[in-house]
Amino acid sequence: MTADLMAGWARGWAVSRSAPTPVPRAGGWFIPTGVPREAARYLLHDSADVPRVTGTKAEPHTWIKVSAAPDDVIPHLPAGWERRHSGHLMHRHLDASPLGSLPLGPPTDGYSARLDDNGTGAVKVVIRAADGEVAAKAQAGIAAPIVVFDRVETFPAHQRRGLGRAAMTLLTAHVAPAASAGILVATDEGRALYETLGWITASPVTVIEYVP
């Protein structure tokens, strides 16, 4: 199951970030991102495949995201590879009424939301305060039949007002007709929110980077 989820995550993430199409490599998926501080990334579903990347010559700032617990990855890393953070691979079924009776707009007075769909499968939501300041944002990449939710963030001055939930609700309602399943990788804090929205945790995710 995690192999399918990681494959879907790779495809949808690439759409969300306008990155090159993932290609099979090292037992998982490789994306030559080529952006500052990230030359490339590997998305792997098995910790046993990590040495297939770390044991070969890699460009500085190559990242690996693997669906495994830190204890299964970190002790076996060679010099130059460092742990960055951990997360949780999550998924949920999407349907025509994805979040039931939840409101589709920001629940707090004084905020407005805008959804942009550029027609390529990349969708973004930005929620702004009354003064125009960006309060929360989120985006998604549709690679039917899945959609990857990405860069969900509420800025500190606007937290605990339901804006993250509102952004996810807007995105989910918009993309549900085009996809039947959602995938994301959550932080520890985000996991609690997503669980209230019906998301299920499939596995931990460990993130490492090559910094020689």
Side-chain angles (χ1 to χ4, degrees):
M1 178 180 181
T2 56
D4 290 339
L5 291 175
M6 293 299 283
W9 182 30
R11 296 196 309 273
W13 183 92
V15 174
S16 175
R17 303 289 182 98
S18 299
T21 300
V23 295
R25 187 177 298 181
W29 298 91
F30 171 76
I31 305 174
T33 43
V35 297
R37 304 293 299 180
E38 184 177 321
R41 69 166 50 195
Y42 289 83
L43 302 177
L44 308 177
H45 72 274
D46 192 329
S47 60
D49 290 324
V50 172
R52 299 175 67 178
V53 180
T54 61
T56 60
K57 182 176 177 59
E59 291 185 63
H61 307 301
T62 293
W63 291 70
I64 299 174
K65 298 195 174 188
V66 55
S67 55
D71 288 348
D72 294 330
V73 178
I74 307 305
H76 311 293
L77 293 179
W81 290 91
E82 300 179 4
R83 176 188 176 186
R84 287 296 173 248
H85 54 268
S86 300
H88 308 276
L89 181 64
M90 305 185 75
H91 64 100
R92 64 154 290 168
H93 175 70
L94 304 180
D95 55 38
S97 55
L99 296 178
S101 60
L102 292 176
L104 292 182
T108 304
D109 290 341
Y111 290 91
S112 61
R114 175 173 176 170
L115 186 146
D116 291 317
D117 184 338
N118 66 10
T120 67
V123 184
K124 295 183 179 181
V125 167
V126 175
I127 298 177
R128 295 182 182 272
D131 62 1
E133 180 181 54
V134 175
K137 60 183 181 178
Q139 63 191 60
I142 302 170
I146 65 92
V147 57
V148 169
F149 293 78
D150 185 28
R151 285 179 168 168
V152 181
E153 182 178 8
T154 301
F155 294 94
H158 305 278
Q159 292 177 352
R160 301 188 182 281
R161 300 182 187 183
L163 299 182
R165 185 183 186 92
M168 285 293 293
T169 304
L170 283 165
L171 273 180
T172 304
H174 183 79
V175 304
S180 59
I183 302 172
L184 59 78
V185 173
T187 62
D188 290 339
E189 297 80 7
R191 180 183 181 183
L193 165 65
Y194 302 131
E195 286 178 340
T196 69
L197 298 176
W199 290 79
I200 299 168
T201 300
S203 76
V205 171
T206 299
V207 181
I208 58 178
E209 179 188 6
Y210 181 54
V211 188

